[in-house]
Amino acid sequence: MCIRDRMRLLYRYAADPRDSLDRVREAWRDGLYLCLVCDACTAVCYQNIEIGEAVAKMRVKAYEQGLVPRRLMDALEGLKDPDYGNPLWLPREERGAWIEGLSPSEKGEILIFAGCMSSYADKESVRALARILEIAGLEYKVLGVEELCCGMPLYLAGDLLGMQKLAESNVKKFKDLGVKVVVTPCPSCYRAMKDLYPRVGTDLEALGIRILHTTQFLHSLLKSGKLRIARPLDLELTYHDPCDLGRHEGIYKEPREILRMIGVKLIEMKRRGPYAMCCGAGGNLRIVDPELSMSIGVERLRDVPKGVRIVAHACPTCRIQFTEAAERAALSIENVSIQELVL
């Protein structure tokens, strides 16, 4: 029996009051926190069983019992520490470094929510988004050092109370700023705010605040004519579907249409769309088991079509994972965000 089927079976037992065995501890021993929660298994399940949901619910039980890997607990402590506020344990005062040289405004109703990975490890992608807004003549706000984590690592760890507190804090900041649209380059932030916040009692869209991923926002600007491409890009590249953006949120069209609008030749990977392989960083696995995570990233690189040397990304974590995996595998592959290509 494979690990995903075992996790699903163990959750069924754990939820059954007639079962007296400690199924949560059994799941923890069997690799509960080694699942990517990417839903690739659900995509090919002929019965459409949501195995990722079962894993997430089992992790809630594990978290309540203190059965969380030490590496992950350490990252969550950094996220909750007010002097850091991120799972990377990087200083809060560095969170707004990406804004240097840009022109955010105190006016307007658009907020760029960078997220932890873009703020610290992939500044180029969020800077490109901000510059595009400036070119389009749109005013935008930023939170800078006041920005908090979206809470996705807490959800994936099973700490729903911690995520609830973060969601409430984020919503208060948005309301205080008069924000009507939140644009984020991070699919995990997008999914957290759009679909997971309502599960912990905070519905941003019910409060009149729209949540958009960068690709949705740029697609709208290009289609409306508010943003124009000066000249087509003469490039061949492939595109990697992030799990949170694709399988979890169903956003496949916008990234590809943007790439076609800017003139590139898109050569698809064999495993794409709902059947795309995870980059290996999902489900907190990059934190829990970096070596296993990176080995999955190297395996995903095998899907890059022969002769293609550029991979376009719609997720900062995927981009970082691909970059490190390419270095590990000694492959000459350039990883670039879609917004950088648009810019």
Side-chain angles (χ1 to χ4, degrees):
M1 182 183 293
C2 67
I3 189 170
R4 62 175 178 263
D5 289 341
R6 184 157 177 76
M7 289 300 117
R8 178 171 61 86
L9 186 61
L10 287 173
Y11 178 73
R12 190 179 71 186
Y13 287 142
D16 188 341
R18 298 169 298 178
D19 186 76
S20 60
L21 298 179
D22 191 348
R23 300 299 184 176
V24 177
R25 187 172 292 276
E26 187 178 349
W28 177 74
R29 287 197 303 264
D30 283 358
L32 176 62
Y33 284 94
L34 297 181
C35 176
L36 293 162
V37 200
C38 67
D39 269 4
C41 48
T42 298
V44 297
C45 177
Y46 67 93
Q47 292 184 332
N48 198 32
I49 297 171
E50 294 184 352
I51 299 166
E53 282 291 307
V55 171
K57 289 176 180 178
M58 184 68 94
R59 287 184 181 182
V60 172
K61 293 177 178 292
Y63 187 89
E64 290 170 350
Q65 295 184 26
L67 298 174
V68 181
R70 182 64 250 176
R71 281 178 177 269
L72 181 53
M73 283 303 297
D74 183 65
L76 299 185
E77 287 169 12
L79 190 159
K80 294 177 180 180
D81 190 317
D83 292 332
Y84 296 90
N86 64 86
L88 307 172
W89 279 99
L90 292 171
R92 176 171 293 283
E93 56 265 27
E94 295 179 11
R95 191 172 189 113
W98 67 268
I99 306 167
E100 185 177 352
L102 298 170
S103 302
S105 171
E106 295 183 1
K107 302 177 182 179
E109 299 178 337
I110 299 172
L111 172 71
I112 294 180
F113 189 92
C116 298
M117 297 305 288
S118 288
S119 293
Y120 291 108
D122 187 30
K123 298 181 182 69
E124 296 86 356
S125 67
V126 69
R127 284 181 58 82
L129 170 61
R131 289 178 63 193
I132 289 170
L133 265 65
E134 291 176 8
I135 290 169
L138 297 173
E139 293 182 320
Y140 64 92
K141 298 175 179 179
V142 297
L143 288 167
V145 296
E146 297 299 319
E147 186 180 279
L148 305 175
C149 178
C150 70
M152 180 62 87
L154 294 168
Y155 168 79
L156 292 171
D159 184 4
L160 297 188
L161 179 59
M163 187 180 191
Q164 180 184 11
K165 291 178 179 178
L166 258 183
E168 291 170 353
S169 296
N170 276 322
V171 171
K172 183 178 186 306
K173 287 179 181 291
F174 300 165
K175 290 171 69 176
D176 289 347
L177 284 173
V179 169
K180 296 297 182 185
V181 179
V182 176
V183 183
T184 178
C186 177
S188 296
C189 295
Y190 171 74
R191 181 186 172 212
M193 294 180 186
K194 184 174 183 294
D195 285 345
L196 301 182
Y197 279 18
R199 298 189 189 184
V200 293
T202 301
D203 191 336
L204 285 167
E205 295 195 352
L207 296 172
I209 302 174
R210 293 184 66 201
I211 311 299
L212 295 174
H213 182 259
T214 292
T215 55
Q216 294 173 301
F217 190 68
L218 296 184
H219 184 261
S220 175
L221 291 180
L222 287 166
K223 287 203 75 173
S224 66
K226 293 179 180 177
L227 182 66
R228 299 182 183 278
I229 303 301
R231 61 176 182 273
L233 294 177
D234 185 18
L235 295 174
E236 284 188 353
L237 52 73
T238 192
Y239 170 67
H240 167 72
D241 285 286
C243 303
D244 276 336
L245 193 66
R247 271 188 296 273
H248 286 124
E249 294 298 331
I251 298 175
Y252 302 110
K253 179 185 73 173
E254 288 88 340
R256 289 170 169 81
E257 288 196 357
I258 291 172
L259 292 172
R260 295 187 180 100
M261 287 176 182
I262 63 178
V264 304
K265 182 179 180 182
L266 175 61
I267 302 175
E268 293 276 15
M269 296 188 192
K270 185 176 182 179
R271 288 183 284 187
R272 61 184 181 273
Y275 310 110
M277 181 180 176
C278 180
C279 73
N284 285 335
L285 184 62
R286 185 178 166 92
I287 298 171
V288 173
D289 192 333
E291 282 302 312
L292 176 58
S293 171
M294 190 51 57
S295 69
I296 295 170
V298 171
E299 174 66 24
R300 175 57 168 158
L301 284 175
R302 297 181 182 179
D303 287 347
V304 175
K306 187 177 180 180
V308 173
R309 290 292 175 262
I310 303 173
V311 181
H313 291 278
C315 172
T317 303
C318 293
R319 179 187 180 176
I320 293 162
Q321 182 84 345
F322 265 63
T323 300
E324 293 179 4
E327 292 173 359
R328 173 77 64 92
L331 295 174
S332 178
I333 293 177
E334 180 183 0
N335 293 281
V336 62
S337 68
I338 287 179
Q339 51 267 36
E340 287 173 279
L341 292 168
V342 170
L343 188 61

